[in-house]
Amino acid sequence: MSADRAGELFAALRSEAAKFASASTLSVEDVRQELYLMCLEHAMGEDGFDPERGDARRYIFGRLWGLIERWQRMESIPEGDDLWDAPRSMSVEDVLIHGQERAAAEERLEHADRKRQRDLRHLPTLAALVAVGAVSERGAARLVGSKSSRLRQRLRDLRRNADPTAFIGGA
């Protein structure tokens, strides 16, 4: 019974298949087969059709258009475009070299972070906060209730007396 109903619906919509096929890379026969499957699903009630939203013809054509959009014709790439000259993927050697370079870069970053942590370890907390930029000099002065000139002098003394690499905010 549902096959008869699907056949009737397909016969009514079949003539539109060529229009849909012209906008895609699918052949007319492929579009007709998809259209028939959609008609079968509709006749069996397994397609999610809601009669309050419109008629069956519009619903099926909307679903068919969604299929066609996935199979639309692509524009041709103009001559002289460098897109085709680039390799599609990296060679095995390039992947290995890239991986080694990334591992070396990560190691350098970790080493720099460990060094900075060692350098900040012996600074007073307030100086360390200023050094990493967490607190401005003016904000630090307000924090401890001191004059900013006195705090700046203390920070200069720390910069001068400490190892030049120890005070990151130096220079």
Side-chain angles (χ1 to χ4, degrees):
M1 173 125 177
S2 61
D4 294 335
R5 207 168 124 214
E8 291 171 8
L9 185 57
F10 176 70
L13 304 177
R14 180 185 176 134
S15 61
E16 304 289 329
K19 291 179 187 176
F20 285 100
S22 68
S24 76
T25 57
L26 296 173
S27 68
V28 176
E29 189 58 35
D30 288 340
V31 173
R32 284 187 183 139
Q33 288 177 3
E34 289 295 328
L35 180 61
Y36 184 71
L37 287 173
M38 289 179 190
C39 290
L40 269 174
E41 288 175 350
H42 178 72
M44 292 171 47
E46 296 181 13
D47 63 349
F49 172 68
D50 183 7
E52 294 179 4
R53 297 181 133 198
D55 62 342
R57 180 179 190 272
R58 287 182 128 176
Y59 177 75
I60 291 173
F61 281 163
R63 286 186 62 206
L64 189 59
W65 185 249
L67 172 79
I68 296 303
E69 283 184 336
R70 289 190 296 273
W71 291 93
Q72 283 185 339
R73 298 187 188 283
M74 294 182 62
E75 298 292 324
S76 62
I77 297 174
E79 290 296 321
D81 194 349
D82 293 336
L83 180 65
W84 298 113
D85 296 337
R88 295 193 189 277
S89 63
M90 294 172 66
S91 69
V92 174
E93 293 171 346
D94 291 339
V95 169
L96 291 173
I97 291 170
H98 184 67
Q100 289 174 347
E101 289 174 349
R102 185 178 334 138
E106 288 174 358
E107 180 63 31
R108 285 190 303 268
L109 285 174
E110 285 180 24
H111 178 70
D113 283 344
R114 283 192 302 269
K115 184 178 180 326
R116 184 174 11 162
Q117 288 173 357
R118 270 193 320 266
D119 293 344
L120 290 174
R121 188 174 308 141
H122 301 293
L123 288 178
T125 303
L126 191 61
L129 288 172
V130 172
V132 296
V135 177
S136 68
E137 287 183 9
R138 180 178 289 169
R142 281 191 210 129
L143 198 66
V144 295
S146 174
K147 291 184 175 180
S148 59
S149 61
R150 182 175 288 163
L151 180 66
R152 274 196 298 272
Q153 182 61 44
R154 174 73 176 125
L155 292 173
R156 268 188 247 129
D157 291 343
L158 281 170
R159 286 184 185 124
R160 200 175 310 127
N161 296 332
D163 179 24
T165 60
F167 195 76
I168 296 173

